[in-house]
Amino acid sequence: MRITRKKRAGYFFSLPAFLFMIALMGFPILYNWIISFQSMTIRSFNAGTVKFNGLENYMEVLGDSNFWNAFGNTFLYTIVCIVFQFVIGFLLALLFNQKFKAARPMRGLLVISYILPMTVVALMFKYIFSDSGIVNYILTSLNLIEEPVQWLTSTGMALPTVIITNIWVGIPFDMLLLSTGLSNIPADVYESATLDGAGKLQKFFYVTLPMMKESILAVLVLGFVGTFKVFDLVYVMTGGGPVNATEVLSTYSYRESFEAFNFGTGAASANILFLCLLAVGLIYIKFVGKEEVQ
């Protein structure tokens, strides 16, 4: 097939971006895979004795109980965050889809939590949930507790506290995407449903949800990817503690690479994280492909 002059120009202008992506993303990913098959530690790296060791790094990681603890925490953290972010975001999207004066300013205020840098959010909530923070102050003032709750230093409360923080951050993202999906539904579809005698619940389940299927799928996949690879929020708030209670795959990989200096196992655990996200992306592409065919 002959390439037109217009297409050649398009390829030419997109080439710098492509090379940029290869240099800053493609090469690090490839090099990380290479390291994962090598016995690279700080000692072997300095001595120049790095050797190929096959799948030993992966076997070591998969045999580590701390890895499976981080793996379980990551999935628990991700699933709980996605459920609450989606439900609350959808309810807010339905609310702000109604025509009332305060809709736009209220929606703008809610977006602030999403545009704040994650480290700022983590530090803010770290102080909010500290022993002398506002949460404990309110609870003690209402006589709901006698002693301050150890939100971030208790093994039972640390992970739920981090989850609450991430839910607060992610709700506006879901709300905005779902609001866009709601605004794209033609008004005459609802009018036809009303003429057919459909009530509000029937409109929601038989009109709104089916017509927002692509938007909902995109929100869930993007939410999963963004939440599953969390690092900065957990690292700043708890550092993966106490006693690995909030350890996730990204912090586990960081510790292996830059605290224990086991670069091979750190790269292997990072690649496992990458494969999990790749699987989710492929599932999303498969579902989108089915929708387009239909």
Side-chain angles (χ1 to χ4, degrees), residues 77 118-130 151-153 158-166 231-242 246:
Y77 173 89
M118 190 63 78
T119 51
V120 174
V121 173
L123 287 171
M124 182 174 67
F125 273 84
K126 188 174 183 178
Y127 288 115
I128 288 175
F129 285 105
S130 64
W151 296 101
L152 296 173
T153 55
L159 186 59
T161 303
V162 176
I163 288 173
I164 290 171
T165 305
N166 190 69
F231 173 78
D232 40 10
L233 183 67
V234 174
Y235 189 77
V236 173
M237 288 189 72
T238 63
T246 59

Side-chain angles (χ1 to χ4, degrees), residues 10 17 22 24 42 188 207 211 242 266 275 288:
I22 291 295
L24 294 185
I42 191 68
D188 55 357
V207 177
M211 298 195 72
L275 291 174
V288 170

Side-chain angles (χ1 to χ4, degrees), residues 118-146:
M118 190 63 78
T119 51
V120 174
V121 173
L123 287 171
M124 182 174 67
F125 273 84
K126 188 174 183 178
Y127 288 115
I128 288 175
F129 285 105
S130 64
D131 291 349
S132 58
I134 189 172
V135 174
N136 279 326
Y137 175 77
I138 292 173
L139 293 176
T140 51
S141 298
L142 296 175
N143 295 320
L144 296 176
I145 57 173
E146 295 182 0

Side-chain angles (χ1 to χ4, degrees), residues 197-232:
K200 290 184 178 180
L201 286 176
Q202 290 174 317
K203 290 178 184 177
F204 178 76
F205 286 106
Y206 295 105
V207 177
T208 304
L209 287 181
M211 298 195 72
M212 288 189 62
K213 191 180 296 183
E214 292 184 5
S215 297
I216 291 173
L217 185 60
V219 166
L220 293 177
V221 171
L222 291 174
F224 185 92
V225 171
T227 308
F228 196 83
K229 63 182 181 65
V230 64
F231 173 78
D232 40 10

Side-chain angles (χ1 to χ4, degrees), residues 52-270:
F52 175 80
N53 64 354
L55 297 175
E56 286 185 19
N57 291 326
Y58 290 93
M59 298 302 293
E60 183 178 342
V61 167
L62 294 176
D64 187 0
S65 59
N66 289 331
F67 169 80
W68 290 109
N69 172 66
F71 192 84
N73 285 342
T74 304
F75 269 96
L76 177 62
Y77 173 89
T78 302
I79 298 302
V80 175
C81 285
I82 286 176
V83 170
F84 280 93
Q85 286 173 354
F86 178 78
V87 172
I88 299 173
F90 206 159
L91 292 174
L92 290 173
L94 291 170
L95 173 65
F96 294 129
N97 195 48
Q98 307 300 315
K99 306 298 180 183
F100 60 96
K101 291 183 178 180
R104 287 187 177 181
M106 288 177 65
R107 183 162 49 189
L109 288 173
L110 285 173
V111 173
I112 292 176
S113 64
Y114 181 69
I115 63 177
L116 284 174
M118 190 63 78
T119 51
V120 174
V121 173
L123 287 171
M124 182 174 67
F125 273 84
K126 188 174 183 178
Y127 288 115
I128 288 175
F129 285 105
S130 64
D131 291 349
S132 58
I134 189 172
V135 174
N136 279 326
Y137 175 77
I138 292 173
L139 293 176
T140 51
S141 298
L142 296 175
N143 295 320
L144 296 176
I145 57 173
E146 295 182 0
E147 297 291 332
V149 178
Q150 307 295 316
W151 296 101
L152 296 173
T153 55
S154 167
T155 56
M157 295 303 301
L159 186 59
T161 303
V162 176
I163 288 173
I164 290 171
T165 305
N166 190 69
I167 290 172
W168 183 80
V169 174
I171 286 173
F173 176 77
D174 287 23
M175 178 195 68
L176 290 174
L177 290 184
L178 293 170
S179 294
T180 304
L182 285 171
S183 63
N184 289 332
I185 299 176
D188 55 357
V189 177
Y190 288 110
E191 293 174 1
S192 300
T194 303
L195 293 174
D196 290 337
K200 290 184 178 180
L201 286 176
Q202 290 174 317
K203 290 178 184 177
F204 178 76
F205 286 106
Y206 295 105
V207 177
T208 304
L209 287 181
M211 298 195 72
M212 288 189 62
K213 191 180 296 183
E214 292 184 5
S215 297
I216 291 173
L217 185 60
V219 166
L220 293 177
V221 171
L222 291 174
F224 185 92
V225 171
T227 308
F228 196 83
K229 63 182 181 65
V230 64
F231 173 78
D232 40 10
L233 183 67
V234 174
Y235 189 77
V236 173
M237 288 189 72
T238 63
V243 198
N244 297 330
T246 59
E247 190 84 288
V248 290
L249 287 176
S250 57
T251 57
Y252 175 87
S253 178
Y254 176 84
R255 290 184 192 284
E256 285 293 308
S257 297
F258 302 109
E259 291 184 6
F261 298 108
N262 294 321
F263 302 116
T265 54
S269 58

